[in-house]
Amino acid sequence: MNSKYFLFLIITVIAGNLNITAQTREFRPGEVWRDTHGDTINAHGGGILYINNNYYWFGEKRNRHGSEGVNVYSSKDLYNWKYEGVALGQSEDTLSDIRKGCVMERPKVIYNKLTKKYVMWFHLELKGKGYSAARAAVAVSDKITGPYQFISSFRPNGNMSRDMTLFADDDGAAYQVYSSRENYDLRITKLTDDYLAATSKDTMLFSKHREAPALFKYQNKYYLITSGCTGWAPNKADLHVATSLLGPWQPVDGNPMEGPDADSTFGSQSAYIQPVAGKKGNFIFIADKWNPKDLRDSRYVWLPVQLKNNELKIEWLRSWSLDFWDTNK
Ligand code: DGJ
């Protein structure tokens, strides 16, 4: 063996043992995405919270077909993610709503300034009951990465609650947007001041059999992307806009997605829309490319939201980076 090859071999073995992953500077939608330890990121149907100069990505921890709780990752640059562990696991207590075998989906975390607590909401299905429980669930922590303490699960104002997201508005009020009445209705409920429960301010956004709500606000306008309801199979996205969260919500004609496979949202389903910190008008569309044969192996589709003259489009890109908006004005 020549000495150069020997050196290469030694370095490869050391890097492998240390689990060093090269830093990345681009997003590659739909491709395997590894954390800084070299493991595939396991954070599906998730959401991101930016706080103290760090992004925290919360998502479903999946095994092949089931659910194992909520994972959390941290990042300073949105490209490279460090695994911070399980923020909320499933309980060994057979009387707990979140006992092993339950289904925990679409977790979102927001920070409550009044209580100084991090509050997580997610969609909960009780063990062995399929998707019939249709509950929202709440957990809380003093530390962003957890461990979160499970508080309760319920149907907001008695309404079924499946796919959901949270939205904290500029005035500190927070809302849960949720698919209700067997997913036929998309509803919104204002949260209590401590964010731990739903208030009776609860209204229907529209009744169009939509799920997977992803929401953002820009220049006093709210943008809401949803998917149709076809299980794990991808379908066409839809855009609604409003000047008030409680509505009325106006449908926007056409497909907000552009490019090959736009009609299947590029084979994915909306999960969240994340503002880029310090960059007004730069938002990232975050979606899941589900693999129902092995949910853990589902991929992520992150794409830049393009806003021009009040119009929104999301174009397919094989790879891109955060200077996208500067170079595509
Ligand atoms: C579609 C939802 O958006 C997902 O979160 C998940 O609940 C699947 N349905 C289950 O089929």
Side-chain angles (χ1 to χ4, degrees):
M1 189 189 304
N2 75 35
S3 58
K4 257 194 197 153
Y5 181 67
F6 184 68
L7 195 67
F8 169 76
L9 211 66
I10 296 286
I11 290 171
T12 311
V13 168
I14 293 174
N17 283 336
L18 292 176
N19 269 319
I20 296 169
T21 306
Q23 292 267 306
T24 167
R25 286 269 149 225
E26 60 176 9
F27 302 104
R28 287 186 218 99
E31 291 187 19
V32 171
W33 196 351
R34 297 186 192 281
D35 65 16
T36 53
H37 198 255
D39 298 319
T40 307
I41 295 177
N42 191 348
H44 312 280
I48 292 175
L49 178 63
Y50 180 74
I51 201 155
N52 302 331
N53 300 317
N54 274 299
Y55 295 95
Y56 294 89
W57 177 2
F58 295 84
E60 298 162 22
K61 180 179 184 197
R62 288 294 193 166
N63 53 32
R64 191 172 283 271
H65 296 296
S67 165
E68 292 184 345
V70 177
N71 269 336
V72 57
Y73 295 78
S74 68
S75 172
K76 286 213 177 293
D77 60 12
L78 289 162
Y79 303 112
N80 301 286
W81 293 90
K82 176 176 175 251
Y83 184 50
E84 298 282 356
V86 177
L88 177 67
Q90 299 195 344
S91 175
E92 299 288 346
D93 176 356
T94 53
L95 296 175
S96 168
D97 290 355
I98 59 161
R99 75 180 200 260
K100 276 212 160 73
C102 73
V103 177
M104 295 154 82
E105 292 186 348
R106 298 187 178 264
K108 307 288 176 290
V109 172
I110 50 178
Y111 179 65
N112 188 288
K113 283 191 182 139
L114 301 175
T115 61
K116 300 193 168 39
K117 291 196 186 291
Y118 296 94
V119 183
M120 177 191 292
W121 281 56
F122 57 97
H123 164 203
L124 175 70
E125 294 297 346
L126 302 175
K127 182 183 176 181
K129 298 255 180 335
Y131 276 80
S132 65
R135 292 193 194 183
V138 181
V140 79
S141 173
D142 292 325
K143 213 179 134 216
I144 181 140
T145 50
Y148 283 73
Q149 187 202 339
F150 174 69
I151 306 267
S152 62
S153 78
F154 50 87
R155 287 183 167 186
N157 294 298
N159 301 315
M160 294 175 93
S161 176
R162 290 201 182 119
D163 279 11
M164 54 139 280
T165 194
L166 291 184
F167 185 77
D169 214 340
D170 306 326
D171 60 1
Y175 301 81
Q176 184 215 12
V177 175
Y178 62 104
S179 294
S180 197
R181 197 172 63 88
E182 302 291 358
N183 301 340
Y184 281 95
D185 299 342
L186 195 70
R187 302 191 64 90
I188 190 165
T189 185
K190 190 170 184 238
L191 308 190
T192 49
D193 289 347
D194 60 10
Y195 299 168
L196 299 183
T199 67
S200 56
K201 198 164 200 169
D202 187 309
T203 173
M204 189 161 79
L205 300 189
F206 40 82
S207 186
K208 291 184 177 171
H209 205 206
R210 308 294 298 174
E211 61 181 6
L215 175 63
F216 72 99
K217 181 185 194 178
Y218 182 56
Q219 293 179 336
N220 294 320
K221 200 163 154 187
Y222 300 92
Y223 296 78
L224 174 64
I225 292 179
T226 58
S227 78
C229 300
T230 52
W232 300 115
N235 56 58
K236 195 163 151 196
D238 222 358
L239 172 68
H240 286 75
V241 293
T243 50
S244 157
L245 274 173
L246 301 179
W249 284 84
Q250 306 298 342
V252 177
D253 280 346
N255 186 350
M257 308 296 153
E258 274 187 22
D261 297 323
D263 281 352
S264 71
T265 318
F266 320 117
S268 69
Q269 186 187 30
S270 40
Y272 200 68
I273 294 169
Q274 174 60 31
V276 179
K279 295 276 187 179
K280 278 209 177 84
N282 296 7
F283 295 90
I284 303 175
F285 173 71
I286 293 177
D288 297 286
K289 197 172 176 140
W290 298 111
N291 175 1
K293 292 197 180 109
D294 185 357
L295 286 172
R296 180 186 32 195
D297 183 47
S298 301
R299 305 279 161 79
Y300 312 98
V301 170
W302 288 31
L303 288 166
V305 174
Q306 302 182 50
L307 290 161
K308 267 182 206 151
N309 310 322
N310 260 331
E311 285 192 7
L312 177 152
K313 71 170 176 180
I314 296 168
E315 242 176 331
W316 172 253
L317 298 168
R318 271 191 58 212
S319 72
W320 64 283
S321 54
L322 291 170
D323 60 12
F324 175 87
W325 292 274
D326 300 327
T327 49
N328 289 275
K329 273 189 180 145

